[in-house]
Amino acid sequence: MANNHLKKEDLLAKFKEWEIESETVDHPEVFTVEAMMPYLERLSGAMCKNLFLKDKKKRLYLLAALFDREVKLSDVGKKVGATGGLRLADESILEEKLGVKQGCVTAYALVNDVNKDVKLLVDDDIINGKYDKVWFHPLDNAATTGVTCDDFLKFLQKTGHEPVSVKFE
């Protein structure tokens, strides 16, 4: 992993610098959304899962969806025009581009995508204002951090990532 990638503390400092209010809940390290949910029961908002993907042309995508959303990669690939469909990208590419390991994939890792190599695909319900807060790992799967929907959009603007909205049936 490149040394210039931000870590949890750096991300939270960026939030302060960018005037993004956040709430972080520390919990044991988790590797699935199902394992995470018992620690977040008291919280309201959109609990999110993330997948790091690629298409046949090796274009990279980060998909952020509601934690309980059924995601069919073939359907998402068609909706966003991914060549040859979407599949999981290798962990080595994840570490190189976003500075996180499997189990720590998060939309907040776009802060490390300085070359804008990764396109964000986001569940429309995460960004349409339906939820008061959106929750992702803060580059570390031993915590979950929530920001308002508006502040999440501000974060994406600050990192130079235009979200591609994906509607799920």
Side-chain angles (χ1 to χ4, degrees), residues 100-137:
V100 295
K101 295 182 181 303
Q102 278 180 323
C104 300
V105 180
T106 171
Y108 296 148
L110 293 170
V111 75
N112 287 325
D113 181 32
V114 293
N115 295 325
K116 313 296 177 275
D117 293 327
V118 180
K119 180 179 281 198
L120 176 66
L121 311 176
V122 64
D123 186 327
D124 186 64
D125 282 342
I126 292 173
I127 56 171
N128 67 12
K130 181 175 181 177
Y131 294 95
D132 57 335
K133 279 192 171 178
V134 296
W135 297 86
F136 299 96
H137 288 314

Side-chain angles (χ1 to χ4, degrees), residues 86-104:
L86 292 171
R87 62 197 145 290
L88 292 175
D90 297 334
E91 186 174 14
S92 61
I93 300 168
L94 171 64
E95 290 181 29
E96 174 192 335
K97 299 294 183 184
L98 297 181
V100 295
K101 295 182 181 303
Q102 278 180 323
C104 300

